[in-house]
Amino acid sequence: MMSPKEKNDDFREPVVQGHPPSASRLLLNILGCLLSLPIYYFSTVHSRYPVTLDIVITIALTELNRYIVEGRRQHFARSLHTPSFDQHLDEKKEWSGLHLEAQPCLPNADCMAAVVGWREDPSLYARALQSYKSAKTCTFFLAGIDGDEAEDQDMVNVFCQVFPENSTVIQIPEPLGEVAERIRAKTMALQRQNGIPVNEDEANAISMQACLDLARSILRQHDLTIGGPKGIKHLCLKQRHMHKKGIMFTAYVFALVISDILGIEYLWSSDSDTIVFPDSLEKTINTIASDLKAGGASSGLVVHNNRETAVTNLASAVYWGELYLTRSTPACTGTSDCQSGPSTAFRLSALPAILVPWYTQIAFGKRMIVNEDRHLTTNLLLRGWNVIFASDVLAATDTPTTMSRWLRQQVRWARATHIESLLRPKVYLVSHPLLFYGMVKREFGPAIGALAVMWFFFTGHQLIEISVMDFVFRILISTMYNFVRNTHRLRLGDVRWIVPGVFFYYIPLPAVQIYSMLTMAADGWGTSMRASGDMERAKREGMRKAWFDLGFFVVWMGIVAGVVAKVLAIHWGLVWYEKMVCIMVSMGVAMWGGWRVTIGASG
């Protein structure tokens, strides 16, 4: 196995660009998107049980996705024993830009793992790193730490303790994202000066090439041997604190260089609070290994700290009963619209063309850093790659322990969803219409719900018909299905959280949807750092910021309580002043309770 010192310095530009659809396929996609609008309209407005119908359709699509994913694995297993590997060799030749030294070999699911984080709790970080020791098919481990100050040394120490052998730590002098941005801007400036039309693709390719060269140079300076019995198998990169997108970019560039040396075709990407199971990497990558059109995949998630607080118990029920199903809607067509950050796999040949456009994304005139996982997925879909959701594979992630942190996380995720769903309409032209249908349901369903609630609150009239039995049927059907088919098997003590988890998720959802739409340009990591000293600092955030982040929830709880009080007052036949007292008291109690568990608790 060669070391960076022995390898050729010259990288050629990657030529793999995905698989763009034909003109006829584009036309069919457009017609399918147009047809999905009246289908969604009639299945909701003109259905007696729209919520029940929706869950039945979702379950059917989930089962279809499970069937297709299993078929992908079986096809990959058969390819291991097939004497002809022509397609596999063609892919190797296409990615001549990076795998210069990798010789054609049998299909396999070997991968390297990249785990990024910022000031993670040391004990949790240690558990996360330890889990990779038993992960099948993981041949190289890369840790990325977003910070190089004294407080960040804890994570470095954990890395050295977990991987005491065949490992090293490298300080990155300048974040590679900044290098890429500077060279890209300089290249486009030169194009303008020379009177040449600005070619962003060319500028992206040049800046990507420079980052790859710089990463190779850094490895050479440290005289590292990658691979082999005595070579480095665990590498920790640390750089000046920026944001998650910044450390991800650096880690991915180094992953491309190291994978070139090792002849690895796949990258597993995760967060510093995620614990993987022995088959998490292998079974996720197996879903894309035999499909040259598949650029990425992600697995399902469970919560590993579910017993910590009431909020984590409720969040765990949400992951089990809701997210498992909702993420499966477009997945059966290979158009999963979000590769979840904690559990994502990439075909490395898909990354060179998308990393710089992903990192330099601009929306509303500013750089975006809140939608790192969704924008990676969007870039894959735009270039014709399939994205798979392996719903029957699990990894365990950490969830916020308080209501305030949970809501901040949900708002951050919703902002990223809006940015990718509403500001990148081209993705629906090149993808299956089911992606558009899923977007319409996800984006406008909660918004319509918020409008209906507020309409009744102010007018006393129903905007849409609401049936209590419809919601009851929906909860019963989804719960029974999950008990039978969900890979995550609940313990007996967790069953009591299922129904409260439905209310925990769906009552704030309309408010989260509307507020996140109004504040799409806000940024940040989304959740605070968890090192003990920084948690104390986070508690001292100003009341003004707390109201900006969470005030919408306090107001919304008051509106919801007012609607419930109005319905009961009408049912009981109260006179107008009794009705007003009932509404005002209910709103006051609900708003106080909302403030108490969010703003009051974070002050």
Side-chain angles (χ1 to χ4, degrees):
M1 187 64 64
M2 292 189 177
S3 69
K5 185 176 180 180
E6 297 170 295
K7 289 179 67 70
N8 191 337
D9 290 340
D10 185 27
F11 277 95
R12 295 191 297 274
E13 170 59 22
V15 297
V16 175
Q17 298 294 326
H19 307 266
S22 62
S24 60
R25 183 65 192 180
L26 285 173
L27 179 60
L28 288 174
N29 290 344
I30 294 173
L31 293 176
C33 291
L34 294 176
L35 185 61
S36 66
L37 293 174
I39 290 176
Y40 179 69
Y41 176 77
F42 285 107
S43 66
T44 53
V45 177
H46 293 280
S47 173
R48 185 176 180 182
Y49 297 102
V51 179
T52 302
L53 178 61
D54 176 72
I55 196 62
V56 171
I57 294 174
T58 301
I59 288 174
L61 293 174
T62 301
E63 279 300 296
L64 179 59
N65 181 59
R66 290 278 293 266
Y67 176 79
I68 292 173
V69 164
E70 186 56 35
R72 287 175 170 274
R73 293 201 187 99
Q74 292 178 4
H75 186 270
F76 172 69
R78 288 193 299 269
S79 71
L80 296 176
H81 307 288
T82 303
S84 174
F85 299 102
D86 294 340
Q87 286 185 320
H88 181 73
L89 301 186
D90 288 342
E91 183 203 9
K92 284 285 192 178
K93 293 174 184 176
E94 282 182 353
W95 197 20
S96 58
L98 289 178
H99 279 66
L100 301 179
E101 313 252 350
Q103 299 301 316
C105 58
L106 301 181
N108 64 81
D110 288 346
C111 70
M112 63 180 297
V115 175
V116 301
W118 173 51
R119 297 188 185 176
E120 188 59 80
D121 176 74
S123 61
L124 177 55
Y125 189 48
R127 290 179 62 198
L129 298 193
Q130 284 283 357
S131 68
Y132 284 89
K133 287 187 171 183
S134 58
K136 300 175 184 177
T137 73
C138 182
T139 61
F140 193 94
F141 183 87
L142 178 66
I145 298 176
D146 184 42
D148 57 0
E149 299 179 2
E151 295 92 335
D152 304 297
Q153 188 61 35
D154 286 344
M155 291 184 69
V156 177
N157 295 338
V158 169
F159 172 85
C160 295
Q161 292 167 6
V162 175
F163 302 115
E165 299 178 351
N166 301 105
S167 63
T168 192
V169 178
I170 293 179
Q171 169 74 51
I172 305 300
E174 181 181 11
L176 296 188
E178 292 184 348
V179 174
E181 194 172 14
R182 184 174 64 250
I183 294 176
R184 180 178 183 270
K186 182 178 180 180
T187 301
M188 290 191 295
L190 288 174
Q191 291 174 342
R192 296 189 189 95
Q193 291 177 7
N194 295 329
I196 304 172
V198 174
N199 187 331
E200 289 193 14
D201 290 338
E202 181 181 357
N204 292 338
I206 292 173
S207 58
M208 185 66 197
Q209 185 66 56
C211 290
L212 291 167
D213 292 338
L214 179 56
R216 287 181 68 97
S217 175
I218 292 173
L219 292 176
R220 186 186 303 108
Q221 290 171 10
H222 287 78
D223 196 26
L224 299 180
T225 298
I226 306 294
K230 298 182 179 180
I232 295 298
K233 297 181 181 178
H234 317 98
L235 177 62
C236 177
L237 307 174
K238 62 176 182 175
Q239 66 181 29
R240 171 171 46 82
H241 172 59
M242 296 178 65
H243 38 68
K244 187 177 180 181
K245 220 172 189 180
I247 190 60
M248 285 176 67
F249 184 88
T250 296
Y252 287 177
V253 170
F254 273 87
L256 287 168
V257 174
I258 294 170
S259 68
D260 178 36
I261 299 170
L262 298 176
I264 293 174
E265 298 185 63
Y266 307 102
L267 172 69
W268 171 271
S269 176
S270 187
D271 298 334
S272 57
D273 60 2
T274 301
I275 298 170
V276 298
F277 301 113
D279 64 350
S280 297
L281 282 63
E282 179 187 38
K283 293 187 69 175
T284 303
I285 292 170
N286 282 355
T287 63
I288 63 176
S290 63
D291 181 4
L292 301 184
K293 295 183 179 180
S298 61
S299 77
L301 289 170
V302 295
V303 175
H304 62 68
N305 64 328
N306 63 307
R307 299 184 182 278
E308 195 168 345
T309 66
V311 170
T312 59
N313 274 287
L314 292 167
S316 180
V318 171
Y319 275 79
W320 178 81
E322 303 300 327
L323 300 187
Y324 163 73
L325 288 169
T326 56
R327 288 185 63 193
S328 298
T329 298
C332 60
T333 62
T335 54
S336 177
D337 58 358
C338 180
Q339 291 176 276
S340 180
S343 56
T344 292
F346 295 100
R347 184 182 297 274
L348 280 159
S349 57
L351 288 182
I354 71 173
L355 284 185
V356 176
W358 164 73
Y359 183 77
T360 57
Q361 180 195 18
I362 294 178
F364 306 107
K366 64 179 292 186
R367 287 284 305 281
M368 300 307 300
I369 63 172
V370 302
N371 58 331
E372 63 285 337
D373 48 4
R374 279 196 174 271
H375 193 51
L376 271 172
T377 309
T378 301
N379 274 281
L380 288 176
L381 294 173
L382 283 171
R383 286 162 178 77
W385 293 100
N386 290 334
V387 180
I388 313 303
F389 174 45
S391 60
D392 60 341
V393 187
L394 298 176
T397 189
D398 187 89
T399 195
T401 57
T402 65
M403 191 66 183
S404 59
R405 290 190 66 211
W406 166 263
L407 286 172
R408 285 187 174 103
Q409 183 190 68
Q410 297 303 301
V411 169
R412 174 182 178 267
W413 288 353
R415 286 169 181 154
T417 301
H418 302 326
I419 291 169
E420 299 305 311
S421 300
L422 304 177
L423 303 185
R424 305 298 295 260
K426 183 181 177 182
V427 72
Y428 306 114
L429 302 181
V430 299
S431 302
H432 193 280
L434 197 56
L435 177 67
F436 181 78
Y437 176 82
M439 179 277 294
V440 171
K441 186 175 73 169
R442 181 186 61 243
E443 289 294 303
F444 299 105
I448 293 173
L451 180 62
V453 170
M454 289 187 288
W455 183 264
F456 183 83
F457 178 77
F458 288 109
T459 69
H461 300 290
Q462 291 190 33
L463 186 64
I464 56 176
E465 290 293 329
I466 299 177
S467 168
V468 174
M469 291 307 300
D470 189 18
F471 288 101
V472 172
F473 289 151
R474 192 259 184 221
I475 294 173
L476 289 176
I477 292 173
S478 63
T479 301
M480 288 188 294
Y481 172 77
N482 275 290
F483 270 119
V484 174
R485 292 291 288 163
N486 198 319
T487 309
H488 178 209
R489 300 301 179 182
L490 289 186
R491 298 178 181 178
L492 184 61
D494 296 327
V495 174
R496 68 179 185 274
W497 298 99
I498 294 175
V499 174
V502 173
F503 291 97
F504 172 76
Y505 180 66
Y506 280 105
I507 288 178
L509 182 60
V512 168
Q513 188 81 347
I514 297 300
Y515 182 71
S516 58
M517 282 184 177
L518 298 175
T519 58
M520 274 194 285
D523 52 24
W525 271 75
T527 54
S528 60
M529 59 193 100
R530 277 180 287 239
S532 58
D534 296 314
M535 287 180 63
E536 292 301 319
R537 204 181 324 161
K539 290 180 180 179
R540 296 194 295 267
E541 68 177 343
M543 187 61 65
R544 183 176 178 180
K545 184 180 185 306
W547 271 105
F548 175 80
D549 290 343
L550 304 168
F552 77 93
F553 176 73
V554 177
V555 175
W556 176 250
M557 291 307 297
I559 293 175
V560 170
V563 167
V564 172
K566 182 175 287 190
V567 170
L568 293 177
I570 294 173
H571 177 73
W572 291 332
L574 301 182
V575 296
W576 71 268
Y577 61 86
E578 293 174 329
K579 184 188 301 183
M580 289 299 299
V581 171
C582 183
I583 292 173
M584 295 301 294
V585 171
S586 298
M587 289 182 63
V589 172
M591 291 180 71
W592 178 85
W595 175 87
R596 187 75 178 84
V597 299
T598 55
I599 299 173
S602 62

